[in-house]
Amino acid sequence: MASSDTIAYLRSRYLPDHLIGEILSKRWVDNAIPFSALVLTIVILGSIIPDFLSLSSLSDLARQFAEFGLVVLALTVVMISGGIDLSVASVFSLAVLFSLIGVNVYELPIPVVLAGILVMGICCGAINGLLVGYLRLRAFLTTLVSLIIFRSIYEIVFVKMSTSMMSGFSMSDLWLFIGEGTVFGVPTSLVITLVIALAWHLVLSRMRPGWRLTAVGGARRSAFNAGIDVRFMVFLTYVASGTMCALAGFLFAARLGSTGSDTGVGLEVQALTAAVLGGTAIGGGRGSVAKAIIGSLLVLMLTNGLINLGISGPITSTILGVILLTAVFVDMRWQKHRHRILAKVYVSPAYLSLPPAPKVDAPGSPYVLNDRLRSVEIIGLGQIEGPEDVILDCDDNLYCGTRHGDIVRFFGPDHKRSEVFAHIGGHPLGMAFDRSGNLLVCIGGMGLFQVAPDRTVTKLTDETNRSWTSVVDDSRLRLADDVDVAPDGRIYFSEATIRYEQEDWATDALESRASGRMICYDPKTGKTHTEIPKLVFANGVTMCPDGQSFMFAESWTCSISRYWFDGPKKGKTERVISSLPGYPDNINRSSDGNYWLALLGMRGPALDLAMRMPGFRKRMARRVAPDQWLYPNINTGCVVKFNEKGEILDNLWDLGGRNHPMITSMREHRGWLYLGGVSNNRIGRYKLPDADPNWCAQDAYWGPRK
């Protein structure tokens, strides 16, 4: 290997360019900057302010956070939906006032006061929700008006009740426990806030209402078209906001036991600053509980630190205002340029040195060119699109998938008549029959599915075990590809890549990084696990007759390997074919005990050279339109037969791709070879001169039907 190749290899292997792209693509990356700012703030203020991090200071901070964090969380929920609630401070102030009136003046039981305060918060939120959600008034102006109205009510009632309210004092143990008590050393109010925060985290990240809320904020029209009741969702966010602000005011009243004319003044600016600093998008569709917590702590730390440093209130408010403007500017610029930055760094080609391609035009070559597929019979011309894989049952019925999400069945023996056997969605790719006659299907972007003989569709699995060291969330199946079944019923299937979806296969080819894998699903336990990781576009898979191993293809390395999942060689992988003239796709058995292999495209010297130049391919991805990238030659179709030693026994070509360019699958059945192609609108049928006219793969796997 030349020194330049060595440098390119080491750089692409050990410098984690692709990890940078993966990190930037994560939703939690928005938390990185505010979290770093929070840590930096703690370090700086802790070093210049005596006792800033003392136990008593942290206890006070925890109680303040319990109240302020609820207000920020309330505002965050509204902002995620694409709205804004400027009345949070006024609702908070009203809750403080009426809590003290109920406890100190009328001496009502604490649960009754709490219930009344929550009802008040619900009513305030419902007013905003009705005006913004159902009457479709502008959120900013509407909540600004409600801020003024609620604040006016506070000042009117405060003037009338201030004397009697301040002269009273509650001796309720429950009231003292809420305001000053602890649970295992943690302030009671903080425990309440953390429970609510956890509940909201589950709603936003794990439950349908949270997903719908994010959808409403991200694209309101699309959410409506998807069947989401947008007005009701917006209404609920304001109700939730009013409720949490009311609870925050109740906790504040229990802690201080008093209120003043300035209670809550400026709180909406602080809460908005905290929400934006935490990473919640002003435009909606992006936000989380973690962002609200980080922003709340950051603003509280800054505010308390500035007060401890002797900086006056107006200057503190000015500083927070400047921080808010800066955060809004950074957020807008980041959202505007994030995808552009991600597009530049996400695609990270690897160094891939392929063995020399076998000669296809030399005399005596096992891959010698021919046009034997030029005259294949055509099935279903124009009736189907994208039959990536084809398969036949014992009754000679022919099945294939289409890009419209259907599995089409052509009735044997002439395959003139067809029907939609099942509608699954996605694009059905590899298929196999199990012992019970169920049709197993890999669906790009959806996982592994089963279609029973009665046409019942069942999802078997759409995720596998998460790798502890993987930055990519590799638990979700992105591109399940080909599938086969072991004698004991275990299902093995390939996933081509964990980085890209089906429509981005060309980008994965450009990268040629080991991001594919072989996966096993066990129907007996219902568990799925990764059997072989780090494969370069794992593709075709077929069981070997020994029942202990299978053949699999890695498309971009132009190779075929054999893996033992049972027996004395369990866990061992051996290379069967190290260099093919094209890129292998599906593999299937032949009637003579050998294997058929489809080549989806042919290699070329320019692309082989580019595989050893990751920097060149990265520049190409940045500067050249995808339709002008170097591609495999997919205009020529080819099928080869090989044995377990890797020897090529036969080959079938369609030079120029007149009938079958980009062949992705083939099945032998009763003396015929059936051809599928992911870009074709037909199925081909070629008569094999020396094949067993009675051989059926389903019988060969599971024995003749009784």
Side-chain angles (χ1 to χ4, degrees):
M1 183 183 293
S3 59
S4 59
D5 287 351
T6 302
I7 293 173
Y9 167 77
L10 293 175
R11 186 188 183 285
S12 68
R13 181 175 178 85
Y14 295 107
L15 289 183
D17 293 8
H18 65 290
L19 297 183
I20 297 174
E22 288 294 345
I23 291 173
L24 290 178
S25 68
K26 302 298 183 185
R27 295 182 63 181
W28 52 258
V29 75
D30 295 336
N31 297 345
I33 295 177
F35 180 77
S36 301
L38 176 61
V39 173
L40 184 63
T41 300
I42 294 174
V43 172
I44 293 176
L45 295 179
S47 61
I48 64 177
I49 299 176
D51 299 327
F52 184 76
L53 298 178
S54 65
L55 187 60
S56 59
S57 296
L58 292 178
S59 178
D60 291 340
L61 178 67
R63 298 183 190 277
Q64 293 177 48
F65 169 77
E67 302 143 15
F68 182 64
L70 276 177
V71 177
V72 175
L73 182 57
L75 185 57
T76 296
V77 170
V78 176
M79 290 174 66
I80 291 175
S81 71
I84 192 73
D85 188 359
L86 299 179
S87 67
V88 290
S90 297
V91 176
F92 172 86
S93 301
L94 283 176
V96 174
L97 178 64
F98 287 117
S99 295
L100 292 174
I101 291 175
V103 173
N104 292 351
V105 178
Y106 294 104
E107 298 181 354
L108 297 174
I110 302 302
V112 173
V113 174
L114 176 59
I117 293 301
L118 294 179
V119 170
M120 183 210 71
I122 291 172
C123 292
C124 292
I127 293 172
N128 287 329
L130 180 65
L131 295 174
V132 177
Y134 285 99
L135 299 183
R136 304 180 69 179
L137 301 183
R138 293 190 178 277
F140 183 88
L141 293 177
T142 300
T143 57
L144 179 61
V145 172
S146 60
L147 177 155
I148 297 172
I149 294 174
F150 296 156
R151 188 71 200 181
S152 299
I153 295 174
Y154 174 86
E155 292 176 355
I156 293 172
V157 176
F158 176 74
V159 170
K160 293 183 177 181
M161 302 294 295
S162 59
T163 302
S164 57
M165 180 178 56
M166 296 304 176
S167 60
F169 182 77
S170 174
M171 296 300 295
S172 169
D173 292 337
L174 179 58
W175 185 244
L176 294 175
F177 175 72
I178 294 173
E180 302 177 7
T182 61
V183 178
F184 300 109
V186 180
T188 306
S189 57
L190 180 60
V191 172
I192 295 172
T193 297
L194 292 179
V195 170
I196 294 173
L198 178 60
W200 269 110
H201 171 72
L202 294 176
V203 170
L204 293 175
S205 62
R206 296 292 187 271
M207 299 175 69
R208 289 182 180 178
W211 302 336
R212 291 171 179 168
L213 182 64
T214 304
V216 168
R220 190 160 293 188
R221 173 60 62 180
S222 298
F224 175 79
N225 293 337
I228 298 175
D229 190 341
V230 173
R231 295 183 179 184
F232 182 65
M233 290 301 300
V234 172
F235 174 81
L236 286 182
T237 60
Y238 284 97
V239 171
S241 174
T243 305
M244 284 188 283
C245 289
L247 178 59
F250 178 82
L251 297 178
F252 181 90
R255 178 169 66 91
L256 294 184
S258 64
T259 185
S261 59
D262 61 346
T263 298
V265 173
L267 180 61
E268 64 279 348
V269 176
Q270 288 182 309
L272 183 59
T273 303
V276 175
L277 278 180
T280 302
I282 294 180
R286 179 169 57 91
S288 66
V289 172
K291 297 179 190 299
I293 291 175
I294 292 174
S296 302
L297 289 174
L298 183 54
V299 169
L300 278 178
M301 288 279 189
L302 283 172
T303 304
N304 290 349
L306 293 174
I307 292 174
N308 287 334
L309 291 174
I311 298 176
S312 62
I315 297 179
T316 299
S317 299
T318 302
I319 292 174
L320 288 178
V322 172
I323 291 174
L324 176 59
L325 287 176
T326 305
V328 170
F329 174 79
V330 172
D331 180 73
M332 293 179 63
R333 300 295 294 179
W334 168 245
Q335 290 305 310
K336 181 178 180 180
H337 297 287
R338 177 179 182 177
H339 293 292
R340 186 182 304 174
I341 296 172
L342 188 60
K344 291 182 177 180
V345 301
Y346 191 82
V347 178
S348 179
Y351 179 92
L352 183 63
S353 180
L354 299 176
K359 301 294 184 181
V360 297
D361 54 358
S365 169
Y367 302 101
V368 64
L369 299 174
N370 58 66
D371 58 0
R372 292 163 62 184
L373 296 181
R374 182 72 52 86
S375 59
V376 296
E377 297 181 18
I378 301 300
I379 299 173
L381 180 63
Q383 301 177 40
I384 52 177
E385 291 184 28
E388 196 274 346
D389 195 12
V390 294
I391 194 169
L392 296 100
D393 61 21
C394 296
D395 297 321
D396 302 332
N397 298 315
L398 172 64
Y399 301 79
C400 72
T402 75
R403 67 178 71 258
H404 303 296
D406 297 327
I407 296 178
V408 177
R409 174 165 63 181
F410 291 88
F411 292 97
D414 58 3
H415 307 123
K416 301 292 185 182
R417 187 167 57 92
S418 66
E419 67 171 359
V420 175
F421 178 65
H423 178 77
I424 299 180
H427 191 167
L429 302 176
M431 297 184 288
F433 282 110
D434 66 11
R435 189 182 297 275
S436 301
N438 299 307
L439 182 61
L440 307 173
V441 188
C442 288
I443 311 292
M446 296 174 61
L448 179 66
F449 283 70
Q450 171 186 285
V451 184
D454 63 359
R455 306 189 184 192
T456 301
V457 177
T458 305
K459 181 184 73 176
L460 297 182
T461 181
D462 60 359
E463 61 182 0
T464 184
N465 56 301
R466 174 75 185 264
S467 302
W468 289 101
T469 58
S470 176
V471 177
V472 184
D473 182 4
D474 59 354
S475 60
R476 181 175 72 89
L477 301 180
R478 288 179 179 266
L479 186 46
D481 197 349
D482 196 18
V483 60
D484 209 353
V485 190
D488 62 359
R490 282 179 291 176
I491 301 170
Y492 290 89
F493 61 98
S494 57
E495 185 180 24
T497 174
I498 61 175
R499 282 172 57 79
Y500 298 100
E501 308 294 341
Q502 181 178 347
E503 63 272 13
D504 298 319
W505 69 268
T507 308
D508 191 87
L510 183 75
E511 273 199 349
S512 292
R513 188 170 292 279
S515 58
R517 54 188 174 177
M518 296 299 305
I519 299 174
C520 176
Y521 170 76
D522 190 347
K524 297 177 182 177
T525 62
K527 294 183 178 180
T528 308
H529 70 272
T530 298
E531 188 77 17
I532 314 175
K534 297 183 179 179
L535 300 177
V536 184
F537 207 83
N539 212 321
V541 54
T542 193
M543 289 293 148
C544 297
D546 63 1
Q548 299 179 343
S549 60
F550 56 77
M551 298 282 184
F552 68 91
E554 292 180 84
S555 293
W556 311 142
T557 62
C558 303
S559 64
I560 304 296
S561 300
R562 185 176 185 177
Y563 174 79
W564 278 264
F565 56 87
D566 264 337
K569 289 187 175 182
K570 182 177 180 179
K572 185 177 181 181
T573 303
E574 290 183 358
R575 186 60 56 89
V576 177
I577 302 177
S578 59
S579 181
L580 288 159
Y583 301 92
D585 205 301
N586 286 8
I587 311 171
N588 286 300
R589 291 189 198 177
S590 64
S591 58
D592 58 4
N594 297 305
Y595 305 90
W596 291 107
L597 168 67
L599 299 181
L600 63 90
M602 297 300 115
R603 293 167 58 178
L607 188 53
D608 279 5
L609 176 62
M611 289 297 104
R612 301 196 301 272
M613 303 170 64
F616 166 78
R617 304 202 312 277
K618 189 165 189 173
R619 291 192 295 273
M620 181 171 65
R622 289 180 177 179
R623 303 176 184 177
V624 180
D627 60 349
Q628 297 178 354
W629 289 353
L630 287 174
Y631 274 98
N633 178 12
I634 61 176
N635 294 321
T636 298
C638 182
V639 175
V640 300
K641 181 191 285 187
F642 68 95
N643 61 21
E644 292 187 351
K645 297 179 181 179
E647 299 169 338
I648 304 302
L649 307 177
D650 198 2
N651 65 86
L652 308 169
W653 291 83
D654 179 15
L655 297 180
R658 295 186 182 179
N659 269 330
H660 276 81
M662 198 178 182
I663 298 175
T664 54
S665 66
M666 71 283 102
R667 297 275 182 172
E668 182 178 336
H669 182 80
R670 304 199 194 284
W672 295 85
L673 192 66
Y674 293 81
L675 308 172
V678 72
S679 298
N680 297 336
N681 65 345
R682 74 207 81 174
I683 296 171
R685 189 170 82 151
Y686 173 76
K687 181 65 175 178
L688 295 170
D690 301 321
D692 183 350
N694 299 313
W695 189 82
C696 170
Q698 198 171 356
D699 289 341
Y701 267 71
W702 311 115
R705 291 178 297 175
K706 297 180 180 179

